[in-house]
Amino acid sequence: MTARKILRMGNPFLNQVAEPVTAFDTPELHALIADMFDTMKVANGAGLAAPQIGIGLRIVIFGFDSNPRYPGRESVPVTVLLNPVIEPIGSEKSEDWEGCLSVPGLRGQVERFDRIRYCGFDPKGAAIDRTVDGFHARVVQHECDHLDGVLYPMRIRDMSKLGYIDELVSAGRIKLPIANDD
Ligand code: NI
């Protein structure tokens, strides 16, 4: 297991559409997922998508138990999700601050659906089907965007809502530590 290098915004690989996983439960797949967890842990992230380490497959990982780094955030079950499909439940959306390991040092306010159903597969090919809301729903939408080449700044409509973390903290616009570096 190895922590891999995380690609940063500007690397065109992050804007490519990833390919579906077709071979489940292989040693190569399990090794890749182990590396993704190592990478996320070293970087203190709440989630990671395979394209962020230069792998063009539709694999995301996310989740954490209650963690002092994420105050006020409900825990999200640690999940490996392959070939995900998201379906919004209702039309309600909310804005909240997001960060991304591929966009270090910045936070931005992004609008996401409040409630979603997501389906996909675990590494052994077993189906996952969950209906979630709140931060869990936000994290999944952020991660799955990575599989379609979308980084969160691309979804910010008002660019005054994008900023450097230390400036945002100084201005009282966000509190540290904050969740969702993913
Ligand atoms: Ni991200």
Side-chain angles (χ1 to χ4, degrees):
M1 296 195 290
T2 320
R4 308 259 193 112
K5 184 183 177 193
I6 297 175
L7 307 183
R8 291 177 302 159
M9 184 169 65
N11 187 315
F13 193 84
L14 290 171
N15 302 114
Q16 292 185 13
V17 176
E19 298 288 331
V21 175
T22 54
F24 295 87
D25 204 20
T26 65
E28 294 78 14
L29 179 63
H30 290 300
L32 170 61
I33 291 164
D35 280 1
M36 287 177 68
F37 274 106
D38 281 357
T39 305
M40 183 173 82
K41 194 171 184 181
V42 166
N44 272 320
L48 187 76
Q52 292 182 273
I53 57 167
I55 303 295
L57 290 172
R58 302 186 80 79
I59 304 171
V60 300
I61 64 171
F62 54 84
F64 54 89
D65 298 324
S66 60
N67 182 324
R69 189 175 152 78
Y70 312 132
R73 298 289 195 184
E74 65 265 39
S75 65
V76 175
V78 175
T79 303
V80 180
L81 183 63
L82 283 58
N83 301 346
V85 176
I86 293 178
E87 171 193 345
I89 306 287
S91 55
E92 285 177 29
K93 294 182 175 181
S94 300
E95 274 197 338
D96 204 354
W97 294 97
E98 293 188 13
C100 181
L101 297 175
S102 294
V103 191
L106 299 177
R107 291 286 185 275
Q109 276 203 7
V110 185
E111 193 175 68
R112 303 283 188 188
F113 287 104
D114 288 346
R115 190 170 168 82
I116 61 167
R117 176 185 180 191
Y118 66 89
C119 300
F121 300 92
D122 78 5
K124 295 191 169 183
I128 293 173
D129 182 343
R130 293 178 181 155
T131 298
V132 302
D133 56 15
F135 185 53
H136 188 161
R138 177 170 295 275
V139 169
V140 173
Q141 288 170 87
H142 175 116
E143 292 311 327
C144 291
D145 263 359
H146 278 293
L147 305 181
D148 293 324
V150 176
L151 300 175
Y152 82 80
M154 297 160 68
R155 291 201 178 273
I156 298 176
R157 290 198 221 138
D158 174 355
M159 293 304 284
S160 71
K161 294 179 176 177
L162 177 69
Y164 290 97
I165 294 169
D166 53 351
E167 294 284 3
L168 294 168
V169 170
S170 296
R173 297 175 70 189
I174 63 171
K175 289 176 185 162
L176 275 183
I178 189 171
N180 56 325
D181 251 332
D182 41 24

